[in-house]
């Protein structure tokens, strides 16, 4: 899949009447009493987003949010690591105890840090299954992974995921320059893991330490939001991220907000909630009229 043009368009629509206040003050749902807001966001900080897309955005005077993988940026203080018991103890235990709800997250967290080429793929596969609610299948994937580890079927080495590799080539100096041009930068974690497959301590490491590198290099203004990789909607992972970041591109469960995620086919209709968050993901194959229609959905809401 081409990663270059993968903006995610998050749209918040207001759905109730503007409340006039006495005097010259009025409370509006949106700044300048507009119908809604459209944000263009980019995942992973792939180098082509800055070399190709960013100049086009600047020409059009459009601002974007870029969710960056901080661990691969030269000068970042924090890099991927496993926090937990000695790896050899975990591997040894897999020989006698099948993967279950009590040991899954530890094993899936450690999988990417065994010093072997291959187990990281199992981390992703298991995380994808957890995101899909297929827990038992995820356990089997981890069992298969560690069975191969014990049999010595993986070669030694350090493995990184594709998103992490694609993001190489950008420096903090570059990012500061783009930020000065008006673009927002925000965390996409340290290594782009499947958060739904990590245990608490490893989720918090990815979330908090990535935030610290953003803070040290860009300042507090850029620590407001984050995106959990793969747009995870896993409630457990999102709840941990929410402890670190006030806003998430993934989900922001609020009683006043109707969420229509990027994997949801629904378009905004009638709702009793005050706001609608409407996300859509574009790829190179997405027709321009369709993308325009997403924006028109915001512009044309008459019940604001
Ligand atoms: Zn991503």
């Amino acid at each position: 899949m081409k990663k270059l043009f993968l903006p995610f368009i998050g749209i918040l629509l207001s759905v109730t009447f503007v409340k006039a206040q006495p005097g010259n003050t009025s409370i509006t749902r949106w700044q300048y009493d507009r119908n809604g807001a459209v944000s263009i966001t980019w995942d992973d900080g792939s180098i082509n987003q800055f070399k190709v897309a960013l100049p086009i955005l600047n020409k059009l005077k459009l601002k974007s949010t870029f969710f960056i993988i901080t661990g691969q940026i030269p000068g970042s203080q924090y890099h991927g690591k496993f926090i937990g018991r000695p790896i050899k103890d975990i591997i040894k235990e897999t020989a006698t105890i099948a993967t279950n709800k009590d040991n899954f997250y530890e094993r899936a967290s450690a999988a990417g840090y065994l010093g072997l080429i291959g187990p990281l793929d199992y981390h992703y596969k298991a995380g994808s299954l957890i995101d899909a609610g297929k827990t038992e299948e995820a356990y089997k994937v981890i069992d298969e992974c560690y069975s191969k580890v014990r049999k010595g079927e993986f070669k030694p080495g350090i493995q990184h995921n594709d998103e992490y590799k694609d993001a190489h080539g950008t420096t903090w100096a570059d990012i500061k320059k783009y930020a000065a041009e008006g673009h927002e930068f925000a965390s996409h974690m340290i290594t782009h893991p499947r958060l739904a497959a990590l245990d608490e301590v490893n989720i918090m490491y990815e979330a908090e330490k990535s935030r610290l590198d953003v803070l040290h290099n860009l300042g507090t203004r850029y620590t407001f939001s984050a995106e959990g990789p793969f747009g995870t909607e896993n409630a457990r992972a999102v709840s941990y991220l929410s402890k670190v970041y006030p806003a998430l591109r993934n989900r922001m469960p609020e009683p006043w907000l109707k969420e229509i995620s990027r994997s949801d086919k629904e378009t905004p209709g009638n709702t009793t909630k005050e706001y609608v968050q409407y996300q859509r993901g574009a790829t190179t194959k997405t027709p321009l009229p369709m993308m325009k229609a997403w924006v028109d959905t915001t512009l044309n809401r008459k019940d604001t």
Side-chain angles (χ1 to χ4, degrees):
M1 174 152 59
K2 294 277 183 298
K3 292 226 167 47
L4 171 56
F5 292 112
L6 276 175
F8 288 101
I9 298 181
I11 300 169
L12 281 161
L13 302 172
S14 59
V15 293
T16 55
F17 292 95
V18 171
K19 289 174 185 167
Q21 298 288 308
N24 295 322
T25 304
S26 65
I27 296 173
T28 60
R29 292 292 172 200
W30 293 101
Q31 193 176 27
Y32 310 123
D33 203 11
R34 286 172 174 153
N35 281 8
V38 177
S39 60
I40 304 170
T41 71
W42 305 75
D43 292 3
D44 306 339
S46 311
I47 188 72
N48 281 348
Q49 292 174 1
F50 303 123
K51 299 282 183 220
V52 181
L54 193 133
I56 297 170
L57 291 164
N58 284 345
K59 204 170 161 186
L60 296 171
K61 295 188 167 52
L62 290 172
K63 308 302 178 199
S64 277
T65 299
F66 294 89
F67 292 105
I68 50 176
I69 304 167
T70 58
Q72 62 74 39
I73 304 172
S76 283
Q77 194 180 338
Y78 298 100
H79 301 281
K81 69 172 183 180
F82 170 68
I83 301 166
R85 294 191 295 155
I87 294 288
K88 62 174 175 28
D89 293 350
I90 296 169
I91 296 172
K92 195 177 166 192
E93 206 173 270
T94 64
T96 51
I97 302 172
T99 301
N100 59 45
K101 67 176 174 43
D102 298 320
N103 58 32
F104 169 78
Y105 295 110
E106 180 186 55
R107 293 178 182 185
S109 298
Y113 298 98
L114 302 179
L116 299 169
I117 306 289
L120 184 64
D121 299 331
Y122 287 81
H123 160 83
Y124 283 106
K125 199 172 169 188
S128 159
L129 289 165
I130 294 288
D131 266 326
K134 297 175 181 172
T135 314
E136 293 298 326
E137 285 178 50
Y139 297 168
K140 286 198 182 88
V141 165
I142 291 300
D143 276 338
E144 185 190 332
C145 173
Y146 280 91
S147 166
K148 288 186 176 184
V149 169
R150 293 194 312 272
K151 289 176 193 162
E153 291 184 20
F154 296 115
K155 288 191 180 123
I158 303 296
Q159 186 181 6
H160 291 302
N161 60 63
D162 290 343
E163 289 82 358
Y164 189 94
K165 286 186 278 190
D166 283 351
H168 274 297
T170 309
T171 67
W172 282 113
D174 293 333
I175 291 170
K176 279 180 199 168
K177 178 175 163 284
Y178 307 142
E181 292 168 359
H183 300 285
E184 182 187 22
F185 286 82
S187 171
H188 200 35
M189 306 301 115
I190 298 174
T191 67
H192 204 275
R194 277 277 181 186
L195 293 172
L198 297 186
D199 59 18
E200 178 180 352
V201 67
N202 286 287
I203 292 179
M204 294 306 277
Y205 177 77
E206 286 274 350
E208 287 178 335
K209 302 307 185 194
S210 175
R211 180 187 173 278
L212 280 183
D213 267 321
V214 171
L215 176 68
H216 291 153
N217 287 283
L218 300 176
T220 49
R221 186 176 169 187
Y222 300 89
T223 58
F224 180 72
S225 72
E227 193 215 336
F230 305 98
T232 183
E233 291 170 21
N234 178 269
R236 181 180 149 274
V238 167
S239 74
Y240 287 126
L241 288 188
S242 301
K243 294 179 199 285
V244 183
Y245 299 98
L248 298 175
R249 231 284 327 275
N250 309 66
R251 289 200 64 198
M252 290 192 295
E254 297 285 355
W256 43 265
L257 179 66
K258 177 174 171 60
E259 297 182 292
I260 301 175
S261 77
R262 79 194 200 196
S263 58
D264 197 325
K265 298 280 182 284
E266 187 185 353
T267 50
N270 292 326
T271 175
T272 53
K273 309 263 179 153
E274 287 175 279
Y275 290 89
V276 180
Q277 184 198 53
Y278 173 49
Q279 290 194 35
R280 283 296 176 266
T283 70
T284 46
K285 288 180 183 168
T286 308
L288 192 59
M290 184 181 284
M291 286 191 266
K292 284 183 171 176
W294 297 337
V295 178
D296 287 343
T297 300
T298 308
L299 294 174
N300 296 334
R301 295 279 295 198
K302 298 296 183 195
D303 55 349
T304 56

